[in-house]
Amino acid sequence: MTGTDGAEGEGAAHDGCLEVEEPGPFTTVQDGGRPGLGALGVGRSGAADRAAMAAANRLVGNPERAAVLESTMGGPAVRARRPVMIAVTGPATVVEVDGTAVGSHCRVLLRAGQVLSVGAPPHGLRNYLAVRGGVTGVRGADGSVHGPELDSLATDVLSGLGPPALRAGDVLTAGRAAAPLPSADLIPPDRAAHTGPVRLPVVWGPRDDWFTDGARRLLVGGEWTVTPDADRVGARLHGPEGLRRARGGELAPESMVTGALQVPADGLPVLFLADHPVTGGYPVIAVVRGAALDAAAQLRPGDRVVFTAAG
């Protein structure tokens, strides 16, 4: 649905635009994160699926890294306190306004009092809800007030930075629209995503020499399954057998990056995602390439994964 800037109430106070009626299983505020602070022990965090976040923001005329809501397996339901324009992206899912389906991956203009709800996607894991003007803060139902920390409003579940996961009664504030709306008011969702084994290209190292040749063949030749032990920090994988080491001993903690496949003592790899620790002490056999990290962020428990060697 296409709206106009005037319908968004440019002259109105730009706060208190949406109230959370039902947060869903796990909904947080995310943006482009806090890059470049690893030396301080602060990870980048931010949206797990950055392309989906950017798409939602583009639909409502925001900068691509503006703060949005990231929901996991459905939710939230939010009530508009004033006319507000939103867009939901990520996996194709059911989006309703007052119980009537309006579609995802398009602009939706909410009138004051209307309730928008996001259903659980049949495939994939995380959806993104952008508000025209961008989310600028959270007023908690408990009276707390949350704004940007270290130039970001992202919730980092490992460091504790950013507002906590949304709760019923929380109120979201938004900024003023920074640019005209784009001519396109919808984008095609990726309906093919995650309907079969997800292929993720990896580059070897930095510690692949700690593993046997058989372990390296197994990593890229076998099929792995995402276990229920998965969140924004990482996803633990189950496979035909553990990855065996070629050498023993301990590894001094070293820097970790998003996409690292760290292998703990049981030999079953853990895929690090947006809120991963900045250092780790288990060897990393390979790293998922940056272009595939958005697909990795949409893995859900039970999804199958095939790694392919890309260098």
Side-chain angles (χ1 to χ4, degrees), residues 65 126 150 201 236 261:
R65 294 178 51 172
R126 296 182 167 96
L150 299 176
R236 193 175 298 276
L261 283 164

Side-chain angles (χ1 to χ4, degrees), residues 36 72 192 219 254 263 268:
T72 302
L219 179 70
E254 55 188 7
V263 184
L268 298 176

Side-chain angles (χ1 to χ4, degrees), residues 88-109:
V88 176
T89 61
T93 191
V94 174
V95 178
E96 296 181 336
V97 174
D98 289 344
T100 300
V102 296
S104 64
H105 299 76
C106 61
R107 286 201 292 264
V108 176
L109 179 61

Side-chain angles (χ1 to χ4, degrees), residues 10-259:
E10 291 282 20
H14 283 253
D15 62 355
C17 66
L18 294 172
E19 180 171 344
V20 179
E21 293 220 327
E22 168 55 52
F26 186 73
T27 300
T28 59
V29 180
Q30 298 295 339
D31 56 20
R34 305 176 182 85
L37 300 177
L40 302 178
V42 176
R44 175 164 182 160
S45 187
D49 183 342
R50 296 179 185 279
M53 172 189 69
N57 275 321
R58 286 198 302 271
L59 278 171
V60 295
N62 292 343
E64 292 189 347
R65 294 178 51 172
V68 301
L69 303 187
E70 178 186 276
S71 62
T72 302
M73 289 300 292
V78 291
R79 180 181 295 278
R81 287 189 156 193
R82 61 170 173 81
V84 60
M85 185 169 292
I86 65 91
V88 176
T89 61
T93 191
V94 174
V95 178
E96 296 181 336
V97 174
D98 289 344
T100 300
V102 296
S104 64
H105 299 76
C106 61
R107 286 201 292 264
V108 176
L109 179 61
L110 296 179
R111 298 191 301 273
Q114 287 188 311
V115 175
L116 178 138
S117 59
V118 181
H123 305 288
L125 185 64
R126 296 182 167 96
N127 286 106
Y128 294 85
L129 188 159
V131 181
R132 181 147 168 81
V135 177
T136 57
V138 179
R139 294 205 302 264
D142 58 359
S144 59
V145 178
H146 304 276
E149 296 178 80
L150 299 176
D151 295 325
S152 171
L153 197 59
T155 297
D156 184 335
V157 299
L158 196 64
S159 71
L161 291 171
L166 294 183
R167 297 157 294 183
D170 288 351
V171 175
L172 306 170
T173 60
R176 293 186 179 276
L181 289 169
S183 56
D185 61 2
L186 58 87
I187 58 173
D190 184 6
R191 296 184 183 280
H194 297 184
T195 54
V198 178
R199 295 186 175 276
L200 298 178
V202 298
V203 292
W204 293 113
R207 300 297 176 189
D208 57 305
D209 60 334
W210 279 53
F211 296 88
T212 65
D213 291 341
R216 289 192 289 271
R217 287 194 297 269
L218 181 62
L219 179 70
V220 297
E223 187 173 279
W224 301 85
T225 302
V226 180
T227 73
D229 189 7
D231 55 20
R232 281 182 47 85
V233 174
R236 193 175 298 276
L237 306 174
H238 180 76
E241 60 182 279
L243 302 177
R244 296 184 178 181
R245 286 192 187 183
R247 55 179 292 184
E250 298 294 327
L251 181 69
E254 55 188 7
S255 298
M256 291 289 138
V257 298
T258 306

